[in-house]
Amino acid sequence: EWISMPDSAGFGSYTESGTVIPCTAPDGREVNFTAQMFLDDEPPIAGGREIWGFPKKFALPKFGVERDTLFGHLHYQGLPVATGTMAYKSKAMPSQMAVSALSKPQVNLKIIPCAETGAMRVAQLVEYK
């Protein structure tokens, strides 16, 4: 996914790209797991990582429109790592399908390392809506 955040409260404007995986929680509910996120702005990286456990890293995601195509490009550590495209305004998604997809709980794996050894000290599954 690529997301343009033109006026995020407290952080200003930034762009992010990420991988969200639909999966089943241990209790059988359908959830969306945030596997990785890449942003072009440091404050929301730190805030999201520290508070909610979002797996955020600094990169250069770009999102836009080129004629009749939506596009997203992601560069990480100077390398092109992902590109996505789709037709612009080709067909509207049924609203019930959109609500269903967006109403699933989201989960992140918040990992806190040991200050002395760097080994994993805490692994917490954080749920949010």
Side-chain angles (χ1 to χ4, degrees):
E1 67 180 18
W2 279 266
I3 302 170
S4 175
M5 303 292 284
D7 189 21
S8 182
F11 296 123
S13 178
Y14 64 92
T15 304
E16 67 180 62
S17 179
T19 304
V20 178
I21 304 168
C23 55
T24 304
D27 62 7
R29 293 178 302 136
E30 291 185 14
V31 299
N32 291 322
F33 174 70
T34 306
Q36 54 191 7
M37 298 178 79
F38 300 94
L39 286 74
D40 60 1
D41 193 15
E42 299 269 351
I45 291 173
R49 197 167 47 205
E50 298 301 317
I51 298 168
W52 295 101
F54 282 103
K56 295 183 175 191
K57 293 184 177 184
F58 186 82
L60 297 174
K62 184 177 179 187
F63 177 71
V65 178
E66 183 66 38
R67 294 188 188 97
D68 62 349
T69 305
L70 288 170
F71 71 86
H73 297 295
L74 176 61
H75 284 77
Y76 179 70
Q77 300 291 336
L79 299 171
V81 295
T83 297
T85 62
M86 68 180 275
Y88 183 65
K89 292 187 177 182
S90 62
K91 184 178 177 184
M93 175 188 281
S95 59
Q96 186 175 3
M97 183 185 288
V99 169
S100 175
L102 295 172
S103 63
K104 288 182 189 176
Q106 309 290 316
V107 294
N108 297 329
L109 180 58
K110 184 175 183 178
I111 298 173
I112 301 174
C114 174
E116 296 171 357
T117 66
M120 183 172 55
R121 175 64 58 101
V122 175
Q124 178 185 19
L125 199 57
V126 178
E127 181 178 321
Y128 65 98
K129 288 188 179 195

